[in-house]
Amino acid sequence: MALSVSALVLFAILCIIFIRNKQLKIPHAIIAALFGFMLHETTVAGSINALLANLAHSISGITGG
């Protein structure tokens, strides 16, 4: 669960940065969020969660955390 919250916060920060730099318009951000909610309901969600968990484990191994 901590990884999901951390990833959610990271993606939210990135969206805010893109919106402020006018590189991501609000309609695009809404579509990206809706896509994320739709993707969560598919069978691919398990693979994505496993990929993110492995990535987080690799990064924590590099940083010593």
Side-chain angles (χ1 to χ4, degrees), residues 14-26 29:
L14 287 174
C15 283
I16 290 169
I17 289 171
F18 285 144
I19 289 170
R20 286 187 180 214
N21 290 335
K22 300 191 191 304
Q23 295 177 354
L24 179 69
K25 305 294 183 198
I26 290 178

Side-chain angles (χ1 to χ4, degrees), residues 1-55:
M1 181 64 172
L3 175 65
S4 298
V5 173
S6 298
L8 178 65
V9 170
L10 174 67
F11 291 141
I13 290 170
L14 287 174
C15 283
I16 290 169
I17 289 171
F18 285 144
I19 289 170
R20 286 187 180 214
N21 290 335
K22 300 191 191 304
Q23 295 177 354
L24 179 69
K25 305 294 183 198
I26 290 178
H28 299 135
I30 292 170
I31 290 171
L34 291 174
F35 176 71
F37 282 117
M38 296 286 219
L39 187 63
H40 175 71
E41 297 293 324
T42 65
T43 57
V44 180
S47 300
I48 293 171
N49 285 336
L51 175 70
L52 289 174
N54 288 334
L55 182 65

